Amino acid sequence: MKQYRVWHRTAYTYSAPVDDSVGQFHLTPRELAWQSVRDAAVTLSPDPGDLRRETDYFGNWSTYFHVTDPHEALSIESSSEVTVTAPAYDDAALAQPWELARPLRHPEVDHAWRAAEFALASPRVAQSDATAAYGALSLQPGRPIGEAATDLMRRIYTDFDYDSTATTVTSTVGDALEKRAGVCQDFAHVALACLRSHGVAARYVSGYLATQPPPGKERVFGADASHAWLGVWLPGTDEWLAIDPTNDQWANDRYITVAWGRDYGDVSPVKGIIFTEAKTSTLRVSVDVAPLAP
């Protein structure tokens, strides 16, 4: 079990006043069987005329805001204290053949109806012959779902280069697959497309990964980042095997879960619409995940 203080700041500046700003953010970690949250708070500057927090369709904490006062800068800060334990999985569930993790083909399997929508294509996770072919190398007939998902994770880690310049926010799964490069969101989307191309249910997960400074170096406040991984449905259960292709490992007690959905578009940290005549804007994001003493 580990404890963390999570701090996330998103700051926008604009070249001309913004008359109206409407948005939504997913910044508050979820309460889960392996994760508890306390002292969660979000502040905005300038003060919004409307600020509401509720759970969205996927059960994530989602906050809506509306800033009506003219402003040339907008900042959103969230903070929380989180206690995390490494998720535990049932060995029998991990050992089931991956073919049973296809809820649309096996609706008789327990909990299949809950997983069904995560087996479908989504706006940022398009399926193709290329994703089916790449996934097929891991999804050998009768292979246990835990083994198959782990093999796909390791192949992406080995075959792809982490390169923040290789893709943009508009890049597709096909772009990342062709370039064999991208960032954590791309790797999660590629894995999702490979699995869903074969009917396997899998969901996109966003959150944070607690990192450690290099030996002899001190922690630099605000130098962390958001992270993305995925959960693969374990048939017959309400469990999802959390795998991280970026780091070639199952999610453990260093992973802080904020939200999950079909893809990044469902759970982006901040999104919205502004009404302005500004021609340019800047965005700065700072994240800090600090370990706390037990």
mmCIF file of all heavy atoms in Angstrom, residues 20-54:
data_model
loop_
_atom_site.group_PDB
_atom_site.id
_atom_site.type_symbol
_atom_site.label_atom_id
_atom_site.label_comp_id
_atom_site.label_asym_id
_atom_site.label_seq_id
_atom_site.Cartn_x
_atom_site.Cartn_y
_atom_site.Cartn_z
ATOM 1 N N ASP A 20 -16.521 34.010 -22.725
ATOM 2 C CA ASP A 20 -17.277 32.901 -22.146
ATOM 3 C C ASP A 20 -16.454 31.634 -22.291
ATOM 4 O O ASP A 20 -15.880 31.381 -23.350
ATOM 5 C CB ASP A 20 -18.597 32.743 -22.903
ATOM 6 C CG ASP A 20 -19.739 32.332 -22.001
ATOM 7 O OD1 ASP A 20 -19.463 31.927 -20.859
ATOM 8 O OD2 ASP A 20 -20.902 32.397 -22.438
ATOM 9 N N SER A 21 -16.378 30.838 -21.241
ATOM 10 C CA SER A 21 -15.627 29.584 -21.274
ATOM 11 C C SER A 21 -16.459 28.491 -20.619
ATOM 12 O O SER A 21 -16.865 28.618 -19.460
ATOM 13 C CB SER A 21 -14.285 29.729 -20.541
ATOM 14 O OG SER A 21 -13.550 28.524 -20.579
ATOM 15 N N VAL A 22 -16.729 27.439 -21.376
ATOM 16 C CA VAL A 22 -17.515 26.312 -20.888
ATOM 17 C C VAL A 22 -16.670 25.053 -21.024
ATOM 18 O O VAL A 22 -16.063 24.827 -22.082
ATOM 19 C CB VAL A 22 -18.821 26.144 -21.689
ATOM 20 C CG1 VAL A 22 -19.623 24.954 -21.149
ATOM 21 C CG2 VAL A 22 -19.649 27.414 -21.639
ATOM 22 N N GLY A 23 -16.597 24.256 -20.000
ATOM 23 C CA GLY A 23 -15.743 23.077 -20.098
ATOM 24 C C GLY A 23 -16.105 21.965 -19.132
ATOM 25 O O GLY A 23 -17.022 22.079 -18.313
ATOM 26 N N GLN A 24 -15.332 20.898 -19.261
ATOM 27 C CA GLN A 24 -15.506 19.706 -18.433
ATOM 28 C C GLN A 24 -14.130 19.136 -18.159
ATOM 29 O O GLN A 24 -13.247 19.170 -19.036
ATOM 30 C CB GLN A 24 -16.367 18.683 -19.175
ATOM 31 C CG GLN A 24 -16.553 17.356 -18.444
ATOM 32 C CD GLN A 24 -17.179 16.304 -19.342
ATOM 33 O OE1 GLN A 24 -16.866 16.225 -20.529
ATOM 34 N NE2 GLN A 24 -18.044 15.480 -18.786
ATOM 35 N N PHE A 25 -13.935 18.616 -16.967
ATOM 36 C CA PHE A 25 -12.644 17.977 -16.701
ATOM 37 C C PHE A 25 -12.804 16.711 -15.873
ATOM 38 O O PHE A 25 -13.759 16.557 -15.104
ATOM 39 C CB PHE A 25 -11.639 18.938 -16.045
ATOM 40 C CG PHE A 25 -12.124 19.678 -14.828
ATOM 41 C CD1 PHE A 25 -12.136 19.082 -13.592
ATOM 42 C CD2 PHE A 25 -12.548 20.996 -14.936
ATOM 43 C CE1 PHE A 25 -12.551 19.769 -12.468
ATOM 44 C CE2 PHE A 25 -12.982 21.699 -13.815
ATOM 45 C CZ PHE A 25 -12.977 21.082 -12.581
ATOM 46 N N HIS A 26 -11.861 15.791 -16.096
ATOM 47 C CA HIS A 26 -11.735 14.559 -15.312
ATOM 48 C C HIS A 26 -10.381 14.648 -14.600
ATOM 49 O O HIS A 26 -9.344 14.313 -15.167
ATOM 50 C CB HIS A 26 -11.762 13.326 -16.204
ATOM 51 C CG HIS A 26 -13.072 13.082 -16.888
ATOM 52 N ND1 HIS A 26 -13.361 13.554 -18.141
ATOM 53 C CD2 HIS A 26 -14.176 12.400 -16.475
ATOM 54 C CE1 HIS A 26 -14.579 13.178 -18.486
ATOM 55 N NE2 HIS A 26 -15.102 12.474 -17.492
ATOM 56 N N LEU A 27 -10.399 15.105 -13.370
ATOM 57 C CA LEU A 27 -9.162 15.305 -12.626
ATOM 58 C C LEU A 27 -9.195 14.688 -11.227
ATOM 59 O O LEU A 27 -8.168 14.626 -10.559
ATOM 60 C CB LEU A 27 -8.841 16.809 -12.511
ATOM 61 C CG LEU A 27 -8.522 17.533 -13.823
ATOM 62 C CD1 LEU A 27 -8.420 19.038 -13.581
ATOM 63 C CD2 LEU A 27 -7.223 17.007 -14.418
ATOM 64 N N THR A 28 -10.358 14.231 -10.790
ATOM 65 C CA THR A 28 -10.473 13.650 -9.452
ATOM 66 C C THR A 28 -10.388 12.137 -9.532
ATOM 67 O O THR A 28 -11.175 11.508 -10.248
ATOM 68 C CB THR A 28 -11.811 14.047 -8.805
ATOM 69 O OG1 THR A 28 -11.905 15.480 -8.753
ATOM 70 C CG2 THR A 28 -11.927 13.472 -7.401
ATOM 71 N N PRO A 29 -9.428 11.507 -8.855
ATOM 72 C CA PRO A 29 -9.291 10.042 -8.901
ATOM 73 C C PRO A 29 -10.553 9.321 -8.437
ATOM 74 O O PRO A 29 -11.323 9.833 -7.625
ATOM 75 C CB PRO A 29 -8.108 9.770 -7.961
ATOM 76 C CG PRO A 29 -7.320 11.047 -7.967
ATOM 77 C CD PRO A 29 -8.349 12.135 -8.065
ATOM 78 N N ARG A 30 -10.745 8.111 -8.962
ATOM 79 C CA ARG A 30 -11.906 7.284 -8.620
ATOM 80 C C ARG A 30 -11.717 6.585 -7.285
ATOM 81 O O ARG A 30 -10.590 6.286 -6.884
ATOM 82 C CB ARG A 30 -12.129 6.214 -9.698
ATOM 83 C CG ARG A 30 -12.561 6.734 -11.035
ATOM 84 C CD ARG A 30 -12.816 5.584 -12.004
ATOM 85 N NE ARG A 30 -13.928 4.744 -11.588
ATOM 86 C CZ ARG A 30 -14.998 4.475 -12.352
ATOM 87 N NH1 ARG A 30 -15.092 4.982 -13.572
ATOM 88 N NH2 ARG A 30 -15.965 3.702 -11.908
ATOM 89 N N GLU A 31 -12.822 6.314 -6.631
ATOM 90 C CA GLU A 31 -12.833 5.417 -5.473
ATOM 91 C C GLU A 31 -12.973 4.001 -6.006
ATOM 92 O O GLU A 31 -13.931 3.690 -6.722
ATOM 93 C CB GLU A 31 -13.997 5.747 -4.542
ATOM 94 C CG GLU A 31 -13.786 6.986 -3.691
ATOM 95 C CD GLU A 31 -12.888 6.722 -2.487
ATOM 96 O OE1 GLU A 31 -12.598 5.540 -2.221
ATOM 97 O OE2 GLU A 31 -12.504 7.699 -1.817
ATOM 98 N N LEU A 32 -12.029 3.135 -5.669
ATOM 99 C CA LEU A 32 -12.019 1.771 -6.189
ATOM 100 C C LEU A 32 -11.687 0.794 -5.070
ATOM 101 O O LEU A 32 -11.259 1.201 -3.982
ATOM 102 C CB LEU A 32 -10.987 1.648 -7.315
ATOM 103 C CG LEU A 32 -11.193 2.576 -8.521
ATOM 104 C CD1 LEU A 32 -9.946 2.594 -9.393
ATOM 105 C CD2 LEU A 32 -12.404 2.125 -9.315
ATOM 106 N N ALA A 33 -11.841 -0.490 -5.353
ATOM 107 C CA ALA A 33 -11.536 -1.502 -4.352
ATOM 108 C C ALA A 33 -10.084 -1.422 -3.914
ATOM 109 O O ALA A 33 -9.757 -1.739 -2.764
ATOM 110 C CB ALA A 33 -11.854 -2.897 -4.903
ATOM 111 N N TRP A 34 -9.198 -1.009 -4.808
ATOM 112 C CA TRP A 34 -7.772 -0.934 -4.500
ATOM 113 C C TRP A 34 -7.273 0.515 -4.366
ATOM 114 O O TRP A 34 -6.082 0.743 -4.261
ATOM 115 C CB TRP A 34 -6.968 -1.640 -5.592
ATOM 116 C CG TRP A 34 -7.109 -1.021 -6.966
ATOM 117 C CD1 TRP A 34 -6.316 -0.050 -7.503
ATOM 118 C CD2 TRP A 34 -8.095 -1.322 -7.958
ATOM 119 N NE1 TRP A 34 -6.753 0.281 -8.764
ATOM 120 C CE2 TRP A 34 -7.843 -0.493 -9.072
ATOM 121 C CE3 TRP A 34 -9.159 -2.221 -8.012
ATOM 122 C CZ2 TRP A 34 -8.616 -0.532 -10.232
ATOM 123 C CZ3 TRP A 34 -9.942 -2.253 -9.162
ATOM 124 C CH2 TRP A 34 -9.664 -1.423 -10.248
ATOM 125 N N GLN A 35 -8.204 1.479 -4.345
ATOM 126 C CA GLN A 35 -7.788 2.874 -4.302
ATOM 127 C C GLN A 35 -8.804 3.702 -3.515
ATOM 128 O O GLN A 35 -10.001 3.657 -3.785
ATOM 129 C CB GLN A 35 -7.681 3.415 -5.731
ATOM 130 C CG GLN A 35 -7.348 4.895 -5.840
ATOM 131 C CD GLN A 35 -7.133 5.320 -7.279
ATOM 132 O OE1 GLN A 35 -6.112 4.997 -7.886
ATOM 133 N NE2 GLN A 35 -8.071 6.051 -7.846
ATOM 134 N N SER A 36 -8.318 4.438 -2.514
ATOM 135 C CA SER A 36 -9.190 5.330 -1.753
ATOM 136 C C SER A 36 -8.694 6.762 -1.894
ATOM 137 O O SER A 36 -7.488 7.004 -2.039
ATOM 138 C CB SER A 36 -9.225 4.923 -0.272
ATOM 139 O OG SER A 36 -7.930 5.015 0.306
ATOM 140 N N VAL A 37 -9.626 7.702 -1.863
ATOM 141 C CA VAL A 37 -9.316 9.109 -2.126
ATOM 142 C C VAL A 37 -9.845 9.961 -0.982
ATOM 143 O O VAL A 37 -10.958 9.748 -0.495
ATOM 144 C CB VAL A 37 -9.964 9.563 -3.456
ATOM 145 C CG1 VAL A 37 -9.578 11.009 -3.778
ATOM 146 C CG2 VAL A 37 -9.571 8.640 -4.601
ATOM 147 N N ARG A 38 -9.054 10.933 -0.574
ATOM 148 C CA ARG A 38 -9.505 11.870 0.452
ATOM 149 C C ARG A 38 -8.969 13.273 0.130
ATOM 150 O O ARG A 38 -8.009 13.439 -0.624
ATOM 151 C CB ARG A 38 -9.033 11.441 1.847
ATOM 152 C CG ARG A 38 -7.530 11.425 2.045
ATOM 153 C CD ARG A 38 -7.175 10.935 3.443
ATOM 154 N NE ARG A 38 -5.740 10.985 3.700
ATOM 155 C CZ ARG A 38 -4.884 10.048 3.336
ATOM 156 N NH1 ARG A 38 -5.327 8.956 2.697
ATOM 157 N NH2 ARG A 38 -3.588 10.159 3.601
ATOM 158 N N ASP A 39 -9.620 14.253 0.709
ATOM 159 C CA ASP A 39 -9.218 15.657 0.553
ATOM 160 C C ASP A 39 -9.112 16.058 -0.917
ATOM 161 O O ASP A 39 -8.201 16.785 -1.318
ATOM 162 C CB ASP A 39 -7.875 15.922 1.254
ATOM 163 C CG ASP A 39 -7.960 15.731 2.754
ATOM 164 O OD1 ASP A 39 -9.048 15.949 3.305
ATOM 165 O OD2 ASP A 39 -6.950 15.355 3.367
ATOM 166 N N ALA A 40 -10.038 15.580 -1.740
ATOM 167 C CA ALA A 40 -10.028 15.946 -3.154
ATOM 168 C C ALA A 40 -10.662 17.321 -3.332
ATOM 169 O O ALA A 40 -11.752 17.586 -2.809
ATOM 170 C CB ALA A 40 -10.779 14.908 -3.978
ATOM 171 N N ALA A 41 -9.979 18.197 -4.058
ATOM 172 C CA ALA A 41 -10.486 19.555 -4.262
ATOM 173 C C ALA A 41 -10.044 20.065 -5.627
ATOM 174 O O ALA A 41 -8.980 19.690 -6.133
ATOM 175 C CB ALA A 41 -9.980 20.490 -3.172
ATOM 176 N N VAL A 42 -10.876 20.924 -6.213
ATOM 177 C CA VAL A 42 -10.553 21.560 -7.492
ATOM 178 C C VAL A 42 -10.862 23.042 -7.374
ATOM 179 O O VAL A 42 -11.921 23.422 -6.852
ATOM 180 C CB VAL A 42 -11.360 20.942 -8.656
ATOM 181 C CG1 VAL A 42 -11.029 21.658 -9.957
ATOM 182 C CG2 VAL A 42 -11.076 19.468 -8.796
ATOM 183 N N THR A 43 -9.951 23.885 -7.836
ATOM 184 C CA THR A 43 -10.175 25.328 -7.827
ATOM 185 C C THR A 43 -9.933 25.885 -9.219
ATOM 186 O O THR A 43 -9.063 25.400 -9.953
ATOM 187 C CB THR A 43 -9.248 26.036 -6.827
ATOM 188 O OG1 THR A 43 -7.868 25.764 -7.169
ATOM 189 C CG2 THR A 43 -9.514 25.568 -5.406
ATOM 190 N N LEU A 44 -10.703 26.907 -9.584
ATOM 191 C CA LEU A 44 -10.559 27.580 -10.863
ATOM 192 C C LEU A 44 -10.311 29.066 -10.634
ATOM 193 O O LEU A 44 -10.815 29.647 -9.658
ATOM 194 C CB LEU A 44 -11.812 27.421 -11.729
ATOM 195 C CG LEU A 44 -11.967 26.138 -12.538
ATOM 196 C CD1 LEU A 44 -12.349 24.970 -11.637
ATOM 197 C CD2 LEU A 44 -13.001 26.313 -13.636
ATOM 198 N N SER A 45 -9.550 29.661 -11.517
ATOM 199 C CA SER A 45 -9.335 31.102 -11.512
ATOM 200 C C SER A 45 -9.410 31.611 -12.942
ATOM 201 O O SER A 45 -8.678 31.103 -13.799
ATOM 202 C CB SER A 45 -7.967 31.444 -10.914
ATOM 203 O OG SER A 45 -7.754 32.841 -10.928
ATOM 204 N N PRO A 46 -10.316 32.550 -13.236
ATOM 205 C CA PRO A 46 -11.247 33.227 -12.322
ATOM 206 C C PRO A 46 -12.350 32.294 -11.828
ATOM 207 O O PRO A 46 -12.542 31.207 -12.382
ATOM 208 C CB PRO A 46 -11.825 34.349 -13.200
ATOM 209 C CG PRO A 46 -11.713 33.831 -14.590
ATOM 210 C CD PRO A 46 -10.436 33.031 -14.625
ATOM 211 N N ASP A 47 -13.060 32.741 -10.801
ATOM 212 C CA ASP A 47 -14.134 31.928 -10.244
ATOM 213 C C ASP A 47 -15.216 31.687 -11.291
ATOM 214 O O ASP A 47 -15.648 32.628 -11.976
ATOM 215 C CB ASP A 47 -14.762 32.626 -9.030
ATOM 216 C CG ASP A 47 -13.828 32.657 -7.834
ATOM 217 O OD1 ASP A 47 -12.971 31.762 -7.745
ATOM 218 O OD2 ASP A 47 -13.961 33.584 -7.011
ATOM 219 N N PRO A 48 -15.663 30.467 -11.433
ATOM 220 C CA PRO A 48 -16.724 30.174 -12.406
ATOM 221 C C PRO A 48 -18.092 30.591 -11.883
ATOM 222 O O PRO A 48 -18.334 30.597 -10.669
ATOM 223 C CB PRO A 48 -16.629 28.659 -12.563
ATOM 224 C CG PRO A 48 -16.120 28.190 -11.236
ATOM 225 C CD PRO A 48 -15.178 29.255 -10.758
ATOM 226 N N GLY A 49 -18.973 30.934 -12.815
ATOM 227 C CA GLY A 49 -20.343 31.212 -12.422
ATOM 228 C C GLY A 49 -21.091 29.948 -12.075
ATOM 229 O O GLY A 49 -22.052 29.964 -11.312
ATOM 230 N N ASP A 50 -20.621 28.830 -12.623
ATOM 231 C CA ASP A 50 -21.256 27.537 -12.359
ATOM 232 C C ASP A 50 -20.155 26.491 -12.271
ATOM 233 O O ASP A 50 -19.246 26.453 -13.095
ATOM 234 C CB ASP A 50 -22.237 27.199 -13.481
ATOM 235 C CG ASP A 50 -23.117 26.001 -13.135
ATOM 236 O OD1 ASP A 50 -23.044 25.521 -11.994
ATOM 237 O OD2 ASP A 50 -23.858 25.533 -14.023
ATOM 238 N N LEU A 51 -20.231 25.645 -11.261
ATOM 239 C CA LEU A 51 -19.260 24.568 -11.065
ATOM 240 C C LEU A 51 -19.994 23.398 -10.438
ATOM 241 O O LEU A 51 -20.513 23.504 -9.327
ATOM 242 C CB LEU A 51 -18.111 25.033 -10.163
ATOM 243 C CG LEU A 51 -16.991 24.017 -9.896
ATOM 244 C CD1 LEU A 51 -16.200 23.757 -11.174
ATOM 245 C CD2 LEU A 51 -16.057 24.517 -8.795
ATOM 246 N N ARG A 52 -20.044 22.278 -11.166
ATOM 247 C CA ARG A 52 -20.778 21.113 -10.664
ATOM 248 C C ARG A 52 -19.965 19.850 -10.895
ATOM 249 O O ARG A 52 -19.408 19.640 -11.972
ATOM 250 C CB ARG A 52 -22.117 20.960 -11.399
ATOM 251 C CG ARG A 52 -23.118 22.033 -11.114
ATOM 252 C CD ARG A 52 -24.534 21.574 -11.477
ATOM 253 N NE ARG A 52 -24.602 21.046 -12.832
ATOM 254 C CZ ARG A 52 -24.847 21.769 -13.916
ATOM 255 N NH1 ARG A 52 -25.009 23.073 -13.788
ATOM 256 N NH2 ARG A 52 -24.923 21.208 -15.102
ATOM 257 N N ARG A 53 -19.924 18.987 -9.862
ATOM 258 C CA ARG A 53 -19.255 17.695 -9.985
ATOM 259 C C ARG A 53 -20.286 16.590 -9.889
ATOM 260 O O ARG A 53 -21.156 16.609 -9.009
ATOM 261 C CB ARG A 53 -18.188 17.510 -8.904
ATOM 262 C CG ARG A 53 -17.313 16.289 -9.145
ATOM 263 C CD ARG A 53 -16.264 16.123 -8.081
ATOM 264 N NE ARG A 53 -16.813 15.551 -6.847
ATOM 265 C CZ ARG A 53 -16.063 14.993 -5.890
ATOM 266 N NH1 ARG A 53 -14.752 14.957 -6.012
ATOM 267 N NH2 ARG A 53 -16.618 14.495 -4.806
ATOM 268 N N GLU A 54 -20.185 15.629 -10.808
ATOM 269 C CA GLU A 54 -21.098 14.495 -10.802
ATOM 270 C C GLU A 54 -20.382 13.301 -11.417
ATOM 271 O O GLU A 54 -19.272 13.435 -11.934
ATOM 272 C CB GLU A 54 -22.364 14.835 -11.594
ATOM 273 C CG GLU A 54 -22.072 15.266 -13.014
ATOM 274 C CD GLU A 54 -23.315 15.813 -13.715
ATOM 275 O OE1 GLU A 54 -24.268 16.226 -13.036
ATOM 276 O OE2 GLU A 54 -23.307 15.825 -14.950
#
